Amino acid sequence: MTAKKRDTNHQEIRDALRSAGLATYDLASMGCGYPDLLCVREDGRVFLIEVKSDGGQLTKDEVKFILISANPAYRIFTEAEKAVKTILEAN
């Protein structure tokens, strides 16, 4: 499987996380259900982030990846401000 077109808010969310000082890696080109972004806080906590436009739906591969990874730090965001706030404030 190949990566599909990026959501229109992908760059905005990625750039906002980086601007907040979070190490953010763009994985969107990997496809196969992998999350769009991998974000690491200064304390080493890792977050897997799926970017969706308003009304966007998870693909079957994305759902499969979420279920297999069972990662409690997997997040889905549609807004840059909420992404930054959630990642910075997560316990």
Side-chain angles (χ1 to χ4, degrees):
M1 266 210 175
T2 59
K4 298 203 175 182
K5 190 173 112 184
R6 291 182 184 183
D7 291 276
T8 57
N9 54 348
H10 180 96
Q11 182 177 342
E12 178 187 6
I13 291 174
R14 182 197 63 213
D15 293 349
L17 291 165
R18 288 178 176 168
S19 291
L22 297 160
T24 304
Y25 304 92
D26 196 329
L27 308 177
S29 63
M30 292 181 70
C32 299
Y34 282 90
D36 293 319
L37 303 169
L38 183 143
C39 186
V40 184
R41 286 194 321 207
E42 284 186 9
D43 64 1
R45 183 139 183 228
V46 175
F47 294 84
L48 303 175
I49 298 171
E50 184 61 42
V51 175
K52 290 293 176 197
S53 297
D54 283 333
Q57 300 287 321
L58 292 171
T59 66
K60 288 180 183 179
D61 285 336
E62 290 166 346
V63 171
K64 183 178 176 181
F65 183 90
I66 292 168
L67 294 174
I68 290 171
S69 72
N71 186 331
Y74 196 103
R75 302 287 191 273
I76 302 168
F77 294 113
T78 59
E79 300 172 12
E81 185 177 317
K82 185 170 183 178
V84 170
K85 184 175 193 265
T86 301
I87 298 302
L88 290 176
E89 295 178 357
N91 293 326

